Amino acid sequence: MGIYDTLNEQQKEAVFCTEGPLLLLAGAGSGKTRVLTHRIAYLIDEGVNPYHIMAITFTNKAAREMRERVDSLVGYGAEHIWVSTFHSTCVRILRRHIDKLGYGNSFTIYDGDDQKSLIKNICKQFKIDTKMMPERSIMREISSAKDEFITPSEYEMKHQHDFKKKKIAEIYKEYQKQLKSNNALDFDDLLFKTVELFQFHPEILDRYQERFRYIMVDEYQDTNTIQFQLISMLARKYRNLCVVGDDDQSIYKFRGANIKNILNFENVFPDAQVIKLEQNYRSTKNILNAANEVIANNAGRKEKKLWTENDEGDLIEFHQYGTEYEEAGQIAEEIDRLAREGYEYKTMAILYRTNAQSRVFEERFMIKNIPYRIVGGTNFYQRKEIKDIICYLKAVDNGMDDLAVRRIINVPRRGIGAATIDKINTYAIEKNISFLDACFQAEQITTLGNAKKKIQGFADMIQDFRDHEQQGSLEDLFHYILERTGYAEGLKAEQTEQAEGRLENINELLNKVVTYEQEAEDPALGGLLEEIALVADIDDLEDSDNKVILMTLHSAKGLEFPYVFICGMEDGIFPSYMTIISENDDDMEEERRLCYVGITRAKKKLYLSAAKRRMMQGRTQFNKVSQFIDEIPEELLKVDQGIHLKEKNVQKDLFSINRKNKFRKPYQTGAFAAPKSQKLTYEVGDQVSHVKFGKGIVKEIVSGGRDYEVTVDFEKSGVKKMFASFAKLKKVEGNQ
């Protein structure tokens, strides 16, 4: 039997189609890597010199795997095939030719910290307040510009009427100038400068076009504009470009991925062949049918339908639990049951929308002694922002933990450097007192000089927190620490995906605080810290690969597991609240693609779950079952008795969005609501401003338990209904 006899008909067609542009729509679990490697083998069998073959992947891991599989198929000569990531490809090209752009060939590549330091210095130079315009939000804006192949001058022209972005244009220009003078590139520059090199030096482009006569690109749905530009330039001469991807698995828009690259491929290459790989080798029929039905609700996609010769399999189980704690507990019970039946822990995965959702599972697994591993993230209590806040709480509790105090003395930054900390430490050792007590005695430390005021300010703040703890609840203390330190505000100002995730984690820690206070007989800060310490001590888990996998849906892409649990299937969680209120239908389609990715990770059995009420930001709120559950035919679901899926959305919505479809925000009720801590700063008739919608007039304010529902008629965007806590409306001063 030849190596191609194991392929199905569509796979063979893709392997044997070697000339001209080819779009290979490879559905989940359809064997695309197998097709790519066999295609390379076939090209060599047909007499193509391995030197002329290029395969581009997104990760080093994928590149290594492809290289190994090609080596085993092809053998001799395979080492001459160019298998690489986008960035590695560009580095290799630039090391040879970047001198043509005025850089030295031994250029440095700056990482995120290097970029941040450079941006910080430029902001200082331009007298820009980084609290108002954080370094990371500037970095994100510059990165987005480079992804779209926009130069500093073009960026300036594009945003000449936007004050903030004009400032960013200045920074961008200076940033590129300083990078060049340092003979340095950032990661985005690697692609940008390679495209620039090809534009200005067609003779170099011609050289690489001659070299790469057959080009294959994996995960094409994840490419951004500049990656598309690079590939189309390289393929222009011989046009033997094969792109492989699945538009239904395009889930990285937040990283700059442009789904239009795959959707518009035939417009760019009108003579392109399109081959669909629809046979799935991974999942059961029931799982695939559910995935097909969900994704069919997206308008912006290529028509395809996965099928399999595998068994029907079990029905998909859907459970609606009372709370997230019950959800985690019951999932842990099911995992325990499967383990007792002989299934290994590593065959099971729990997928969730945000990293913060891992906490309740981690705590439950610790109690039940279930080994677990978090992929693509850190254990909840080991995350930087969580450790920071816990260290503040420790300092308030007794202040004897020197490590904790040293960790937070300059977090967020307040100009206290390592040399100052060393002086305080030396004084503490001499006097045989704690580090914090030494801070309280800053006036006595003669070596501190001008830093005395800063240290005294920090000590006074800790004392203020201690006074606050005596007067109110632990929840109040938590809020006060976040407010007084500016920790949360600093993260909000960054406006990055990473910062948003950190805020979600902090809110999840708040949920822990509130739950502890509600359930403890005699709640105290020391008791809370003790409870956290017990669940945070995960070092005792046996170091084995046989662990339940916990990860976000984004991290799960490309993986598969026999047993998959997708939790938090509620409107406001998944799809996310920000997606639900978005004015852009594309956002909901991206969220649905994420759901499709989650469903298609399951090989044997899929469990979906929701909670009727869930603690969010320290408040209990009622959530409706996710609209994605609605989209799965009932005959594919095994549902808890008493749940009537088709009835769950007939309840009156709290508010509606004026769009083709109506989505709901998870709602709060008085039974679980706490009194509002703040009055609104505006009234009906006032003019207010919103960060996205601009200026408008307040038309109505309705009290809704914990929050206010505010109706605003915006000048440019029309009438919007929103919750005050999310909207962050500001009264326009001078308005009557």
Side-chain angles (χ1 to χ4, degrees), residues 669-683:
T669 70
F672 290 90
K676 301 177 192 71
S677 57
Q678 288 181 317
K679 285 191 76 76
L680 297 179
T681 57
Y682 48 85
E683 299 173 347

Side-chain angles (χ1 to χ4, degrees), residues 303-318:
E303 188 57 42
K304 62 186 128 6
K305 201 161 187 174
L306 292 183
W307 61 276
T308 185
E309 290 179 349
N310 295 340
D311 295 338
E312 291 284 334
D314 293 338
L315 291 174
I316 296 161
E317 288 194 24
F318 173 69

Side-chain angles (χ1 to χ4, degrees), residues 315-319 334 605-609 636-638:
L315 291 174
I316 296 161
E317 288 194 24
F318 173 69
H319 300 277
E334 179 65 6
K605 182 102 185 236
L606 176 65
Y607 301 80
L608 305 173
S609 60
L636 300 176
L637 290 170
K638 181 184 174 184

Side-chain angles (χ1 to χ4, degrees), residues 368-578:
K368 287 192 73 69
N369 209 21
I370 295 172
Y372 68 90
R373 181 163 67 93
I374 293 188
V375 174
T378 313
N379 290 333
F380 183 81
Y381 289 107
Q382 298 302 312
R383 291 169 194 165
K384 179 186 181 303
E385 59 281 4
I386 300 302
K387 290 183 86 167
D388 288 345
I389 305 302
I390 287 171
C391 285
Y392 269 107
L393 294 172
K394 284 179 176 178
V396 174
D397 187 43
N398 65 24
M400 297 303 290
D401 188 335
D402 286 359
L403 275 177
V405 179
R406 281 208 297 270
R407 179 184 180 99
I408 58 164
I409 194 168
N410 198 39
V411 176
R413 288 184 185 165
R414 41 182 78 93
I416 301 170
T420 301
I421 292 169
D422 285 345
K423 288 169 185 174
I424 300 166
N425 207 37
T426 303
Y427 179 85
I429 293 165
E430 284 173 2
K431 299 290 181 182
N432 197 25
I433 57 176
S434 73
F435 183 88
L436 184 59
D437 284 341
C439 292
F440 280 110
Q441 296 177 24
E443 281 296 326
Q444 314 300 319
I445 308 174
T446 53
T447 54
L448 284 179
N450 294 332
K452 278 183 188 178
K453 274 188 181 175
K454 291 173 184 174
I455 302 302
Q456 198 60 57
F458 171 74
D460 290 347
M461 182 177 69
I462 299 297
Q463 187 56 52
D464 185 25
F465 292 158
R466 288 176 169 179
D467 295 342
H468 206 86
E469 188 218 350
Q470 299 301 314
Q471 297 162 16
S473 66
L474 294 178
E475 183 188 352
D476 288 341
L477 173 66
F478 191 96
H479 283 297
Y480 190 59
I481 289 172
L482 286 180
E483 187 185 321
R484 177 86 197 269
T485 59
Y487 199 105
E489 276 307 310
L491 288 173
K492 283 175 192 169
E494 281 188 27
Q495 295 180 325
T496 63
E497 182 85 11
Q498 191 183 24
E500 202 175 302
R502 287 182 170 174
L503 281 167
E504 285 167 354
N505 289 335
I506 289 170
N507 280 328
E508 186 56 37
L509 182 61
L510 169 61
N511 294 343
K512 170 69 184 177
V513 172
V514 172
T515 306
Y516 166 77
E517 220 163 7
Q518 288 173 352
E519 295 178 353
E521 281 186 28
D522 188 17
L525 181 54
L528 171 69
L529 290 168
E530 188 177 302
E531 195 167 294
I532 286 172
L534 289 172
V535 295
D537 186 16
I538 58 163
D539 295 333
D540 294 337
L541 282 178
E542 190 182 336
D543 189 21
S544 156
D545 285 331
N546 189 27
K547 296 175 182 178
V548 178
I549 304 298
L550 276 69
M551 65 174 83
T552 64
L553 286 146
H554 280 101
S555 299
K557 188 168 170 286
L559 303 174
E560 57 183 45
F561 304 91
Y563 298 91
V564 170
F565 300 80
I566 305 179
C567 59
M569 296 296 292
E570 304 140 41
D571 278 354
I573 305 292
F574 188 35
S576 71
Y577 175 59
M578 294 311 291

